[in-house]
Amino acid sequence: MSGPPDIDDQLLRGLLDTLVMDLLREGPNYGFGILEALGERLGEDAGIVKESTLYPLLHRLADRGYLASHQEPGDRGRPRRYYRLTDEGQEFLGTRLAEWRRVAGLLDRTLLRSPGLPTSTS
Amino acid sequence: MRLIHCLRLPAPGFPREAATGDPTLDAFLRDTDGRLVGSRSIRRPYLLELADHLVEARDRAIETGVSPDEASRFAVEAYGDPEPLVATQRRARARIFRVTGLATWLWNGVMVALLLILLEFPDWTMLWVLTVLPLGPLMGYGFAYAIGPSSAPRPVFADEVDGSFTVALRGGPRLAGVILLLGTAVAGALVLSGLMGWGLFAEAPREASLFLLILSGLLLTGTGPLLVHIEVDAEGFGYRSALRDVRVRWDQLVGVDRELGPVGVLRPPIGPKVRLRWCEEPGGPVSELRMHLDGSMINVDRLLAALDRRAPAG
């Protein structure tokens, strides 16, 4: 039994940053909640988001000022850290989405239309 | 004892608030904590977040009918290797430790040289050398790891509301005041006891006075940035220090310049120097504010980003 093949980490990093910020446009969320919501969005590709890499990613985005966080009691009374998109994050996300649209268009016009495109095997 | 434990003083122990009461989860948390650097207040937010995640993952697994023991193991295995998280935290701390430790060490060298000159190269005892030499590195260590936890990669609780945020150390001016007061009190007590003929400085009251001078200098250079309080919101920028209280609206801003000079490089804790220029009225005289920003201030990167965004082009 195997899922979709793994995607190169370098390719994934930029994509995950954008995915997480786009998700946080809907409102503040915390680590596990973000993981679940991403899982729902990604469907069979949910495996590309690993728990151990999600938190460093959140910290990195917060470090750059794209996310802000605050702590409040969670469901079980334990302190829980919520993240939300900042104004800088909104701007950065807009730029990133525009870049991804260009990349998607570029891929669509070039590689994905190439005759004899090799398909991935897992 | 592993070397990393030295980077966790003065509070190397596992933060009790992060404990979940579940042996499997707690073992994982303790193992992760063992790899984090910095004092307890710096490690705590990482561990609390990780504990919250593990508890939720375990409880979700229990809801599916898995036994509690298995659910705990599942939560830990699903999380995987904590190294990426630990590496992120180490990188964030390493930067500030390097620059603060190095800058404070350099200052210590200057102070010791000054002391040697003022004392006309006295015949120092080993006790003196051992007393004075570690001061700088110790203070650098203290600022980097214990007092300045604000380089934690996130703003602290309630730090940001409706786009407003503050730029200051967690303790703020009050903490700086306490540090200065305590430091001065300790140094003063040492000198006083020396003058009264007992204690560490009984034989050398002149050296004791210089010692006090040096200690005060180190305290002032170290705690100076703590005395500054900066607030940023949608309307503008507020700066409050012992000497100035300034409020600048964004539409008054004329320019923001970064300055890098020898003072900025040597001043512990090291940080960027920013010059703010603004006009109260269009065409009016230009006012100026030079800020020495401490790299360990909360939100200092956000402040610089906000200033860059608001600065008029050109």
Side-chain angles (χ1 to χ4, degrees), chain B residues 106-169:
Chain B
L106 289 173
W107 266 105
N108 188 58
V110 172
M111 294 291 185
V112 170
L114 181 68
L115 187 68
L116 281 169
I117 293 166
L118 290 174
L119 293 178
E120 297 166 351
F121 297 92
D123 183 20
W124 276 16
T125 64
M126 190 52 73
L127 177 66
W128 265 101
V129 175
L130 291 176
T131 305
V132 175
L133 279 181
L135 262 182
L138 276 176
M139 292 195 69
Y141 175 89
F143 283 113
Y145 275 90
I147 300 168
S150 53
S151 74
R154 291 155 291 171
V156 293
F157 173 53
D159 192 41
E160 171 155 352
V161 180
D162 298 331
S164 304
F165 60 91
T166 55
V167 184
L169 285 177

Short mmCIF file of all heavy atoms in Angstrom, two decimals, chain B residues 106-169:
data_model
loop_
_atom_site.label_atom_id
_atom_site.label_comp_id
_atom_site.label_asym_id
_atom_site.label_seq_id
_atom_site.Cartn_x
_atom_site.Cartn_y
_atom_site.Cartn_z
N LEU B 106 33.90 41.79 24.19
CA LEU B 106 34.76 42.87 23.73
C LEU B 106 34.73 44.04 24.71
O LEU B 106 35.76 44.62 25.04
CB LEU B 106 34.30 43.35 22.34
CG LEU B 106 34.55 42.38 21.20
CD1 LEU B 106 33.90 42.86 19.92
CD2 LEU B 106 36.05 42.19 20.99
N TRP B 107 33.54 44.36 25.17
CA TRP B 107 33.42 45.44 26.15
C TRP B 107 34.18 45.11 27.43
O TRP B 107 34.82 45.95 28.04
CB TRP B 107 31.95 45.70 26.50
CG TRP B 107 31.39 46.78 25.65
CD1 TRP B 107 30.53 46.64 24.60
CD2 TRP B 107 31.65 48.18 25.75
NE1 TRP B 107 30.27 47.85 24.04
CE2 TRP B 107 30.93 48.82 24.72
CE3 TRP B 107 32.44 48.95 26.60
CZ2 TRP B 107 30.96 50.18 24.53
CZ3 TRP B 107 32.47 50.32 26.40
CH2 TRP B 107 31.74 50.92 25.38
N ASN B 108 34.12 43.85 27.79
CA ASN B 108 34.83 43.43 28.98
C ASN B 108 36.32 43.64 28.82
O ASN B 108 37.01 44.11 29.74
CB ASN B 108 34.53 41.95 29.26
CG ASN B 108 35.08 41.50 30.58
OD1 ASN B 108 34.74 42.06 31.60
ND2 ASN B 108 35.92 40.50 30.55
N GLY B 109 36.82 43.35 27.61
CA GLY B 109 38.24 43.56 27.33
C GLY B 109 38.61 45.02 27.48
O GLY B 109 39.63 45.36 28.08
N VAL B 110 37.75 45.90 26.96
CA VAL B 110 38.01 47.33 27.06
C VAL B 110 38.03 47.76 28.52
O VAL B 110 38.90 48.52 28.96
CB VAL B 110 36.92 48.11 26.28
CG1 VAL B 110 37.05 49.61 26.52
CG2 VAL B 110 37.01 47.80 24.80
N MET B 111 37.07 47.26 29.28
CA MET B 111 36.96 47.65 30.69
C MET B 111 38.18 47.17 31.49
O MET B 111 38.72 47.90 32.33
CB MET B 111 35.70 47.04 31.31
CG MET B 111 34.42 47.60 30.73
SD MET B 111 34.18 49.32 31.20
CE MET B 111 32.58 49.64 30.53
N VAL B 112 38.61 45.95 31.21
CA VAL B 112 39.77 45.41 31.95
C VAL B 112 41.02 46.21 31.60
O VAL B 112 41.83 46.54 32.47
CB VAL B 112 39.96 43.91 31.62
CG1 VAL B 112 41.29 43.41 32.18
CG2 VAL B 112 38.82 43.10 32.22
N ALA B 113 41.15 46.56 30.31
CA ALA B 113 42.30 47.36 29.89
C ALA B 113 42.29 48.71 30.61
O ALA B 113 43.32 49.18 31.10
CB ALA B 113 42.27 47.55 28.38
N LEU B 114 41.09 49.31 30.69
CA LEU B 114 40.94 50.60 31.36
C LEU B 114 41.35 50.47 32.83
O LEU B 114 42.07 51.31 33.39
CB LEU B 114 39.49 51.07 31.25
CG LEU B 114 39.15 52.41 31.87
CD1 LEU B 114 39.81 53.53 31.09
CD2 LEU B 114 37.64 52.63 31.90
N LEU B 115 40.91 49.40 33.43
CA LEU B 115 41.22 49.17 34.84
C LEU B 115 42.73 49.03 35.05
O LEU B 115 43.31 49.60 35.98
CB LEU B 115 40.50 47.91 35.32
CG LEU B 115 40.59 47.63 36.80
CD1 LEU B 115 39.83 48.67 37.59
CD2 LEU B 115 40.04 46.25 37.13
N LEU B 116 43.37 48.29 34.13
CA LEU B 116 44.82 48.11 34.23
C LEU B 116 45.54 49.45 34.15
O LEU B 116 46.49 49.71 34.91
CB LEU B 116 45.31 47.20 33.09
CG LEU B 116 45.08 45.71 33.28
CD1 LEU B 116 45.36 44.96 31.98
CD2 LEU B 116 46.00 45.19 34.38
N ILE B 117 45.06 50.30 33.22
CA ILE B 117 45.71 51.61 33.06
C ILE B 117 45.48 52.46 34.31
O ILE B 117 46.42 53.07 34.85
CB ILE B 117 45.17 52.32 31.80
CG1 ILE B 117 45.62 51.55 30.56
CG2 ILE B 117 45.64 53.77 31.73
CD1 ILE B 117 44.90 51.93 29.30
N LEU B 118 44.25 52.51 34.78
CA LEU B 118 43.93 53.34 35.94
C LEU B 118 44.67 52.89 37.20
O LEU B 118 45.02 53.68 38.06
CB LEU B 118 42.43 53.34 36.18
CG LEU B 118 41.59 54.09 35.13
CD1 LEU B 118 40.11 53.89 35.37
CD2 LEU B 118 41.92 55.58 35.16
N LEU B 119 44.89 51.61 37.28
CA LEU B 119 45.58 51.09 38.47
C LEU B 119 47.09 51.03 38.27
O LEU B 119 47.81 50.47 39.09
CB LEU B 119 45.06 49.69 38.81
CG LEU B 119 43.61 49.62 39.28
CD1 LEU B 119 43.21 48.18 39.52
CD2 LEU B 119 43.43 50.41 40.56
N GLU B 120 47.53 51.59 37.15
CA GLU B 120 48.95 51.60 36.83
C GLU B 120 49.54 50.19 36.87
O GLU B 120 50.56 49.94 37.51
CB GLU B 120 49.70 52.55 37.77
CG GLU B 120 49.23 53.99 37.61
CD GLU B 120 49.69 54.88 38.75
OE1 GLU B 120 50.22 54.33 39.72
OE2 GLU B 120 49.51 56.10 38.66
N PHE B 121 48.86 49.32 36.19
CA PHE B 121 49.28 47.93 36.08
C PHE B 121 49.66 47.32 37.43
O PHE B 121 50.84 47.05 37.70
CB PHE B 121 50.42 47.79 35.06
CG PHE B 121 50.01 48.20 33.69
CD1 PHE B 121 50.18 49.50 33.25
CD2 PHE B 121 49.38 47.27 32.85
CE1 PHE B 121 49.75 49.88 31.99
CE2 PHE B 121 48.96 47.66 31.58
CZ PHE B 121 49.14 48.96 31.16
N PRO B 122 48.69 47.18 38.29
CA PRO B 122 48.99 46.68 39.64
C PRO B 122 49.36 45.20 39.61
O PRO B 122 49.14 44.51 38.63
CB PRO B 122 47.66 46.84 40.36
CG PRO B 122 46.64 46.70 39.27
CD PRO B 122 47.25 47.29 38.06
N ASP B 123 49.89 44.78 40.69
CA ASP B 123 50.22 43.37 40.82
C ASP B 123 48.95 42.63 41.24
O ASP B 123 48.68 42.45 42.42
CB ASP B 123 51.33 43.22 41.87
CG ASP B 123 51.76 41.77 41.98
OD1 ASP B 123 51.49 41.01 41.03
OD2 ASP B 123 52.33 41.42 43.02
N TRP B 124 48.19 42.25 40.25
CA TRP B 124 46.90 41.64 40.55
C TRP B 124 47.04 40.24 41.14
O TRP B 124 47.89 39.48 40.71
CB TRP B 124 46.07 41.53 39.28
CG TRP B 124 45.34 42.79 38.97
CD1 TRP B 124 45.59 44.01 39.49
CD2 TRP B 124 44.26 42.92 38.07
NE1 TRP B 124 44.73 44.92 38.97
CE2 TRP B 124 43.90 44.28 38.10
CE3 TRP B 124 43.56 42.06 37.25
CZ2 TRP B 124 42.86 44.78 37.34
CZ3 TRP B 124 42.54 42.55 36.50
CH2 TRP B 124 42.19 43.91 36.53
N THR B 125 46.16 39.97 42.06
CA THR B 125 46.13 38.60 42.56
C THR B 125 45.20 37.81 41.65
O THR B 125 44.43 38.36 40.89
CB THR B 125 45.54 38.57 43.98
OG1 THR B 125 44.19 39.02 43.89
CG2 THR B 125 46.34 39.44 44.93
N MET B 126 45.33 36.52 41.74
CA MET B 126 44.49 35.65 40.92
C MET B 126 43.01 35.87 41.24
O MET B 126 42.16 35.79 40.36
CB MET B 126 44.89 34.19 41.16
CG MET B 126 44.27 33.21 40.19
SD MET B 126 44.51 33.64 38.45
CE MET B 126 46.25 33.25 38.27
N LEU B 127 42.75 36.23 42.50
CA LEU B 127 41.35 36.45 42.90
C LEU B 127 40.75 37.61 42.10
O LEU B 127 39.62 37.54 41.62
CB LEU B 127 41.29 36.76 44.39
CG LEU B 127 39.88 37.10 44.92
CD1 LEU B 127 38.96 35.88 44.82
CD2 LEU B 127 39.94 37.58 46.36
N TRP B 128 41.55 38.67 41.94
CA TRP B 128 41.07 39.82 41.17
C TRP B 128 40.78 39.44 39.74
O TRP B 128 39.76 39.79 39.18
CB TRP B 128 42.11 40.94 41.21
CG TRP B 128 41.83 41.92 42.28
CD1 TRP B 128 42.43 42.01 43.49
CD2 TRP B 128 40.84 42.94 42.25
NE1 TRP B 128 41.89 43.02 44.22
CE2 TRP B 128 40.90 43.61 43.48
CE3 TRP B 128 39.90 43.34 41.31
CZ2 TRP B 128 40.07 44.66 43.80
CZ3 TRP B 128 39.07 44.40 41.62
CH2 TRP B 128 39.16 45.05 42.85
N VAL B 129 41.74 38.73 39.17
CA VAL B 129 41.58 38.34 37.75
C VAL B 129 40.32 37.49 37.60
O VAL B 129 39.50 37.72 36.72
CB VAL B 129 42.82 37.57 37.27
CG1 VAL B 129 42.61 37.04 35.86
CG2 VAL B 129 44.04 38.47 37.32
N LEU B 130 40.17 36.54 38.50
CA LEU B 130 39.03 35.64 38.42
C LEU B 130 37.72 36.39 38.67
O LEU B 130 36.67 36.01 38.18
CB LEU B 130 39.17 34.48 39.41
CG LEU B 130 40.28 33.48 39.07
CD1 LEU B 130 40.41 32.45 40.18
CD2 LEU B 130 40.01 32.81 37.74
N THR B 131 37.80 37.46 39.46
CA THR B 131 36.58 38.21 39.77
C THR B 131 36.14 39.08 38.60
O THR B 131 34.97 39.11 38.25
CB THR B 131 36.82 39.12 41.00
OG1 THR B 131 37.30 38.32 42.07
CG2 THR B 131 35.54 39.82 41.41
N VAL B 132 37.10 39.76 37.99
CA VAL B 132 36.75 40.75 36.98
C VAL B 132 36.54 40.13 35.60
O VAL B 132 35.59 40.46 34.89
CB VAL B 132 37.84 41.85 36.92
CG1 VAL B 132 37.55 42.81 35.79
CG2 VAL B 132 37.89 42.59 38.24
N LEU B 133 37.44 39.22 35.22
CA LEU B 133 37.40 38.72 33.85
C LEU B 133 36.08 38.08 33.42
O LEU B 133 35.60 38.32 32.32
CB LEU B 133 38.56 37.75 33.61
CG LEU B 133 39.89 38.42 33.31
CD1 LEU B 133 40.95 37.36 33.06
CD2 LEU B 133 39.79 39.33 32.08
N PRO B 134 35.45 37.29 34.26
CA PRO B 134 34.23 36.63 33.77
C PRO B 134 33.01 37.53 33.75
O PRO B 134 31.95 37.12 33.29
CB PRO B 134 34.01 35.49 34.79
CG PRO B 134 35.18 35.48 35.67
CD PRO B 134 35.79 36.83 35.60
N LEU B 135 33.15 38.76 34.25
CA LEU B 135 31.97 39.61 34.35
C LEU B 135 31.27 39.83 33.01
O LEU B 135 30.06 39.66 32.89
CB LEU B 135 32.38 40.98 34.90
CG LEU B 135 32.17 41.21 36.39
CD1 LEU B 135 32.57 42.62 36.75
CD2 LEU B 135 30.71 40.96 36.76
N GLY B 136 32.06 40.24 32.01
CA GLY B 136 31.47 40.55 30.71
C GLY B 136 30.76 39.37 30.09
O GLY B 136 29.57 39.46 29.76
N PRO B 137 31.47 38.25 29.93
CA PRO B 137 30.80 37.09 29.35
C PRO B 137 29.58 36.66 30.15
O PRO B 137 28.56 36.29 29.58
CB PRO B 137 31.88 36.00 29.40
CG PRO B 137 33.15 36.74 29.47
CD PRO B 137 32.89 38.02 30.16
N LEU B 138 29.68 36.76 31.46
CA LEU B 138 28.54 36.35 32.28
C LEU B 138 27.33 37.25 32.02
O LEU B 138 26.20 36.79 31.91
CB LEU B 138 28.91 36.40 33.77
CG LEU B 138 29.62 35.16 34.29
CD1 LEU B 138 30.02 35.37 35.75
CD2 LEU B 138 28.73 33.93 34.17
N MET B 139 27.61 38.55 31.91
CA MET B 139 26.50 39.46 31.66
C MET B 139 25.93 39.25 30.26
O MET B 139 24.73 39.28 30.04
CB MET B 139 26.94 40.90 31.85
CG MET B 139 27.25 41.16 33.31
SD MET B 139 27.36 42.90 33.66
CE MET B 139 25.68 43.39 33.45
N GLY B 140 26.83 39.03 29.30
CA GLY B 140 26.35 38.75 27.94
C GLY B 140 25.49 37.51 27.93
O GLY B 140 24.41 37.48 27.32
N TYR B 141 25.97 36.51 28.64
CA TYR B 141 25.20 35.27 28.75
C TYR B 141 23.83 35.54 29.38
O TYR B 141 22.81 35.08 28.92
CB TYR B 141 25.99 34.29 29.61
CG TYR B 141 25.26 33.00 29.89
CD1 TYR B 141 25.38 31.93 29.03
CD2 TYR B 141 24.45 32.88 31.01
CE1 TYR B 141 24.70 30.76 29.28
CE2 TYR B 141 23.78 31.71 31.26
CZ TYR B 141 23.91 30.65 30.40
OH TYR B 141 23.22 29.51 30.66
N GLY B 142 23.87 36.33 30.42
CA GLY B 142 22.62 36.64 31.12
C GLY B 142 21.62 37.33 30.23
O GLY B 142 20.45 36.94 30.17
N PHE B 143 22.07 38.32 29.51
CA PHE B 143 21.15 39.05 28.64
C PHE B 143 20.65 38.16 27.51
O PHE B 143 19.50 38.24 27.11
CB PHE B 143 21.81 40.31 28.10
CG PHE B 143 21.87 41.40 29.11
CD1 PHE B 143 23.06 41.84 29.64
CD2 PHE B 143 20.68 41.97 29.57
CE1 PHE B 143 23.10 42.83 30.59
CE2 PHE B 143 20.73 42.97 30.53
CZ PHE B 143 21.93 43.40 31.05
N ALA B 144 21.56 37.36 26.97
CA ALA B 144 21.18 36.54 25.83
C ALA B 144 20.20 35.45 26.22
O ALA B 144 19.27 35.14 25.49
CB ALA B 144 22.42 35.93 25.19
N TYR B 145 20.39 34.86 27.37
CA TYR B 145 19.62 33.66 27.70
C TYR B 145 18.56 33.83 28.77
O TYR B 145 17.58 33.12 28.78
CB TYR B 145 20.57 32.52 28.08
CG TYR B 145 21.05 31.82 26.86
CD1 TYR B 145 22.20 32.23 26.23
CD2 TYR B 145 20.30 30.81 26.29
CE1 TYR B 145 22.62 31.63 25.07
CE2 TYR B 145 20.70 30.21 25.13
CZ TYR B 145 21.86 30.62 24.53
OH TYR B 145 22.26 30.03 23.37
N ALA B 146 18.79 34.73 29.68
CA ALA B 146 17.86 34.79 30.80
C ALA B 146 16.96 36.00 30.75
O ALA B 146 15.77 35.90 30.98
CB ALA B 146 18.64 34.78 32.11
N ILE B 147 17.51 37.14 30.44
CA ILE B 147 16.74 38.36 30.54
C ILE B 147 16.06 38.71 29.23
O ILE B 147 14.96 39.23 29.21
CB ILE B 147 17.65 39.53 31.00
CG1 ILE B 147 18.23 39.18 32.36
CG2 ILE B 147 16.86 40.83 31.08
CD1 ILE B 147 19.35 40.08 32.79
N GLY B 148 16.70 38.44 28.13
CA GLY B 148 16.15 38.84 26.84
C GLY B 148 15.50 37.71 26.07
O GLY B 148 15.98 37.34 25.02
N PRO B 149 14.42 37.16 26.58
CA PRO B 149 13.80 36.05 25.86
C PRO B 149 13.00 36.48 24.65
O PRO B 149 12.38 35.69 23.99
CB PRO B 149 12.88 35.43 26.92
CG PRO B 149 12.49 36.59 27.76
CD PRO B 149 13.68 37.53 27.76
N SER B 150 13.02 37.80 24.36
CA SER B 150 12.11 38.29 23.33
C SER B 150 12.53 37.92 21.92
O SER B 150 11.79 38.18 21.00
CB SER B 150 12.01 39.79 23.45
OG SER B 150 13.31 40.32 23.42
N SER B 151 13.70 37.34 21.76
CA SER B 151 14.01 36.91 20.41
C SER B 151 13.31 35.59 20.12
O SER B 151 13.49 35.02 19.07
CB SER B 151 15.50 36.76 20.21
OG SER B 151 15.92 35.59 20.87
N ALA B 152 12.52 35.11 21.07
CA ALA B 152 11.63 34.00 20.77
C ALA B 152 10.89 34.39 19.50
O ALA B 152 10.54 35.56 19.32
CB ALA B 152 10.65 33.80 21.91
N PRO B 153 10.70 33.46 18.60
CA PRO B 153 10.29 33.87 17.27
C PRO B 153 8.87 34.38 17.16
O PRO B 153 8.37 34.55 16.09
CB PRO B 153 10.46 32.58 16.45
CG PRO B 153 10.35 31.50 17.45
CD PRO B 153 10.90 32.03 18.72
N ARG B 154 8.22 34.59 18.27
CA ARG B 154 6.85 35.09 18.16
C ARG B 154 6.61 36.22 19.15
O ARG B 154 7.23 36.27 20.21
CB ARG B 154 5.86 33.97 18.48
CG ARG B 154 5.83 32.90 17.43
CD ARG B 154 5.38 31.62 18.00
NE ARG B 154 6.37 31.07 18.91
CZ ARG B 154 6.17 30.06 19.68
NH1 ARG B 154 5.03 29.47 19.68
NH2 ARG B 154 7.12 29.60 20.45
N PRO B 155 5.68 37.10 18.83
CA PRO B 155 5.30 38.10 19.82
C PRO B 155 4.71 37.41 21.04
O PRO B 155 4.18 36.31 20.93
CB PRO B 155 4.24 38.93 19.11
CG PRO B 155 4.42 38.65 17.66
CD PRO B 155 4.95 37.26 17.57
N VAL B 156 4.77 38.05 22.17
CA VAL B 156 4.24 37.42 23.37
C VAL B 156 2.74 37.67 23.49
O VAL B 156 2.16 38.45 22.75
CB VAL B 156 4.95 37.94 24.64
CG1 VAL B 156 6.37 37.48 24.66
CG2 VAL B 156 4.85 39.43 24.74
N PHE B 157 2.14 37.04 24.45
CA PHE B 157 0.71 37.10 24.66
C PHE B 157 0.23 38.54 24.76
O PHE B 157 0.82 39.37 25.43
CB PHE B 157 0.38 36.36 25.95
CG PHE B 157 -1.05 36.49 26.39
CD1 PHE B 157 -2.07 36.19 25.51
CD2 PHE B 157 -1.36 36.92 27.66
CE1 PHE B 157 -3.38 36.30 25.91
CE2 PHE B 157 -2.66 37.03 28.07
CZ PHE B 157 -3.67 36.73 27.19
N ALA B 158 -0.87 38.82 24.08
CA ALA B 158 -1.50 40.14 24.11
C ALA B 158 -0.57 41.23 23.58
O ALA B 158 -0.77 42.39 23.83
CB ALA B 158 -1.97 40.51 25.51
N ASP B 159 0.44 40.79 22.87
CA ASP B 159 1.39 41.76 22.36
C ASP B 159 0.83 42.50 21.16
O ASP B 159 1.20 43.62 20.89
CB ASP B 159 2.66 41.02 21.95
CG ASP B 159 3.79 41.95 21.69
OD1 ASP B 159 3.93 42.91 22.45
OD2 ASP B 159 4.51 41.74 20.72
N GLU B 160 -0.06 41.85 20.45
CA GLU B 160 -0.59 42.47 19.26
C GLU B 160 -2.11 42.43 19.29
O GLU B 160 -2.72 41.40 19.36
CB GLU B 160 -0.10 41.74 18.01
CG GLU B 160 -0.81 42.25 16.78
CD GLU B 160 -0.02 42.05 15.51
OE1 GLU B 160 1.14 41.66 15.62
OE2 GLU B 160 -0.57 42.30 14.45
N VAL B 161 -2.72 43.59 19.26
CA VAL B 161 -4.17 43.68 19.22
C VAL B 161 -4.53 44.72 18.16
O VAL B 161 -4.04 45.85 18.20
CB VAL B 161 -4.75 44.12 20.59
CG1 VAL B 161 -6.26 44.22 20.52
CG2 VAL B 161 -4.32 43.17 21.68
N ASP B 162 -5.35 44.33 17.22
CA ASP B 162 -5.80 45.24 16.18
C ASP B 162 -4.64 45.95 15.48
O ASP B 162 -4.67 47.17 15.27
CB ASP B 162 -6.76 46.30 16.76
CG ASP B 162 -8.00 45.65 17.35
OD1 ASP B 162 -8.37 44.57 16.84
OD2 ASP B 162 -8.56 46.19 18.29
N GLY B 163 -3.63 45.22 15.13
CA GLY B 163 -2.54 45.81 14.36
C GLY B 163 -1.56 46.63 15.19
O GLY B 163 -0.61 47.17 14.64
N SER B 164 -1.78 46.76 16.48
CA SER B 164 -0.84 47.51 17.32
C SER B 164 0.12 46.54 17.98
O SER B 164 -0.25 45.43 18.32
CB SER B 164 -1.60 48.27 18.42
OG SER B 164 -2.58 49.09 17.83
N PHE B 165 1.33 46.97 18.16
CA PHE B 165 2.24 46.13 18.92
C PHE B 165 3.29 46.99 19.62
O PHE B 165 3.49 48.15 19.25
CB PHE B 165 2.92 45.07 18.03
CG PHE B 165 3.73 45.61 16.90
CD1 PHE B 165 5.07 45.87 17.05
CD2 PHE B 165 3.14 45.84 15.66
CE1 PHE B 165 5.82 46.35 16.00
CE2 PHE B 165 3.89 46.32 14.59
CZ PHE B 165 5.24 46.58 14.76
N THR B 166 3.89 46.44 20.61
CA THR B 166 4.93 47.16 21.34
C THR B 166 6.29 46.57 21.00
O THR B 166 6.38 45.43 20.58
CB THR B 166 4.71 47.07 22.85
OG1 THR B 166 4.65 45.69 23.20
CG2 THR B 166 3.45 47.76 23.27
N VAL B 167 7.31 47.34 21.20
CA VAL B 167 8.67 46.87 20.96
C VAL B 167 9.44 47.12 22.25
O VAL B 167 9.85 48.23 22.54
CB VAL B 167 9.33 47.64 19.80
CG1 VAL B 167 10.69 47.06 19.49
CG2 VAL B 167 8.44 47.59 18.58
N ALA B 168 9.56 46.10 23.03
CA ALA B 168 10.24 46.25 24.31
C ALA B 168 10.53 44.87 24.85
O ALA B 168 10.02 43.88 24.34
CB ALA B 168 9.35 47.01 25.30
N LEU B 169 11.35 44.82 25.85
CA LEU B 169 11.56 43.52 26.49
C LEU B 169 10.37 43.19 27.37
O LEU B 169 9.61 44.07 27.77
CB LEU B 169 12.84 43.55 27.31
CG LEU B 169 14.10 43.51 26.48
CD1 LEU B 169 15.32 43.62 27.37
CD2 LEU B 169 14.18 42.23 25.68
#
